[in-house]
Amino acid sequence: MNAPVNSPKLYDCRDAFAATLERLAAEDETVVAVCNDSVGSSKLGGFKSRFPARLVNVGIAEQNMVGVGAGLANGGRIPFVCGASPFLTGRSLEQIKADISYSNANVKLVGISSGMAYGELGPTHHSIEDFAWTRVLPNLPVIAPCDRIETAAAIEWAAKYEGPCFLRLSRVGVPDLLPESHKFELGKANLLREGSDVTLIANGTLTHRMVKAAEILAERNISARVLNLATVRPIDEAAIIEAARETGAIVTAEEHSVFGGLGSAVAEVVVDYAPVPMKRLGVPGIYAPTGSAEFLLDEFGMSPVAIADAAQALIKRK
């Protein structure tokens, strides 16, 4: 099927990750990559060709992979530990806690194909718990870039950051939302659209859907603010509090369970500092069925129209 004439070009954030990592490795010989037999899905083919001695493929052994990353960090390297997010986080959570977070190891964890990007492979391959698992750990910034530009900026930031972090990347194509000059700042929200009636908050693949929802609301004479909250921890409390006080209602959407993810993180700030009506959109505490990522997001009420409808209904509770 041909794409609509005016549809924006979509980009795979993994390409931006791989290109940036290769550039950083060319500039700094301490930058290395570790993966779990995922050279292809992590887009590390170019890295392997250019720096074969600096790519460690441990095979399907995620717990070992995290330990190898910690050891490389202790040896003065800057390891980017890459793997499918459900297995990097779920299978290795104890190692991430002890070897990375507790030890404050300078390891960059990169969860590839997060959310429901592996939709057709079913619940075992869905990564709708990784925000909850990682954001509870001390010393571990949790980041989900919204487009290729923010992905490249976040990878560049991570290489310079002295400490561990978790970067959550999807394989689902998304349009550009931020300017090419964008510089990633940890814990800082990006205001994508001004608005006074309701605030829409998302990150990752949901951000562009929030922008579309705001456009639909504008057609209904409703003014929606849109915040890209790429950093789930540390979260931008000031931006959330300001949005709550100025718009009086907040809708969050995420490719994650509604328990423990972005919506929960925003709600924690709202209930402490600026209580207003909220609606958290996401996977409602069930194992998502098998289907494409696009189908599943729509199925769970996160199409642009459904988001707009949820926001309009929430405004009535103000």
Side-chain angles (χ1 to χ4, degrees):
M1 180 182 294
N2 293 327
V5 174
N6 295 322
S7 62
K9 185 174 181 180
L10 303 181
Y11 298 93
D12 185 336
C13 291
R14 295 176 301 166
D15 291 324
F17 156 68
T20 305
L21 188 62
E22 286 180 41
R23 176 175 58 79
L24 292 170
E27 297 169 355
D28 184 348
E29 63 181 12
T30 66
V31 172
V32 298
V34 187
C35 71
N36 58 340
D37 203 24
S38 59
V39 172
S41 60
S42 297
K43 299 277 188 171
L44 292 173
F47 191 101
K48 180 180 179 180
S49 296
R50 294 182 65 183
F51 314 105
R54 289 155 64 186
L55 173 66
V56 181
N57 187 349
V58 304
I60 303 174
E62 288 78 10
Q63 294 173 329
N64 184 41
M65 176 175 69
V66 172
V68 168
L72 288 167
N74 288 339
R77 305 300 192 270
I78 304 174
F80 282 76
V81 175
C82 313
S85 197
F87 310 126
L88 171 63
T89 57
R91 201 171 282 167
S92 312
L93 190 57
E94 181 182 0
Q95 285 70 30
I96 293 173
K97 175 183 176 181
D99 298 343
I100 308 300
S101 170
Y102 178 73
S103 301
N104 201 31
N106 191 31
V107 175
K108 322 306 172 180
L109 302 167
V110 185
I112 301 291
S113 302
S114 58
M116 295 177 288
Y118 281 134
E120 292 88 350
L121 297 180
T124 59
H125 284 61
H126 298 164
S127 190
I128 57 174
E129 310 88 4
D130 50 3
F131 277 155
W133 287 337
T134 54
R135 80 177 184 92
V136 74
L137 297 174
N139 303 321
L140 189 70
V142 177
I143 302 159
C146 72
D147 65 6
R148 67 176 180 93
I149 296 167
E150 188 167 39
T151 298
I155 296 301
E156 187 165 353
W157 168 87
K160 298 175 182 176
Y161 177 69
E162 290 290 336
C165 61
F166 172 64
L167 297 133
R168 187 188 202 248
L169 307 182
S170 180
R171 66 195 294 140
V172 176
V174 291
D176 287 346
L177 295 173
L178 297 170
E180 292 282 358
S181 60
H182 175 72
K183 299 295 183 184
F184 179 80
E185 186 177 348
L186 183 68
K188 186 68 174 177
N190 306 122
L191 177 64
L192 300 183
R193 188 182 177 103
E194 294 281 3
S196 57
D197 295 325
V198 64
T199 298
L200 311 180
I201 299 178
N203 59 22
T205 56
L206 265 296
T207 312
H208 77 97
R209 287 178 172 237
M210 285 302 214
V211 173
K212 290 181 179 178
E215 293 169 354
I216 293 169
L217 288 169
E219 294 172 358
R220 302 176 186 178
N221 296 316
I222 296 173
S223 174
R225 180 177 304 187
V226 180
L227 290 179
N228 168 44
L229 219 59
T231 308
V232 178
R233 178 171 180 172
I235 204 160
D236 191 340
E237 292 186 351
I240 296 168
I241 294 168
E242 182 179 62
R245 290 174 177 169
E246 293 182 359
T247 69
I250 293 176
V251 177
T252 61
E254 58 194 310
E255 199 175 1
H256 189 276
S257 169
V258 294
F259 298 102
L262 174 67
S264 295
V266 172
E268 289 161 11
V269 177
V270 169
V271 75
D272 278 349
Y273 299 107
V276 297
M278 272 193 67
K279 178 65 176 178
R280 293 175 297 124
L281 301 174
V283 181
I286 64 172
Y287 290 110
T290 301
S292 71
E294 292 290 323
F295 164 78
L296 292 171
L297 289 175
D298 291 349
E299 182 73 8
F300 289 121
M302 288 182 283
S303 69
V305 171
I307 294 169
D309 290 343
Q312 190 167 3
L314 183 68
I315 290 171
K316 297 177 181 179
R317 292 171 47 197
K318 290 172 61 174

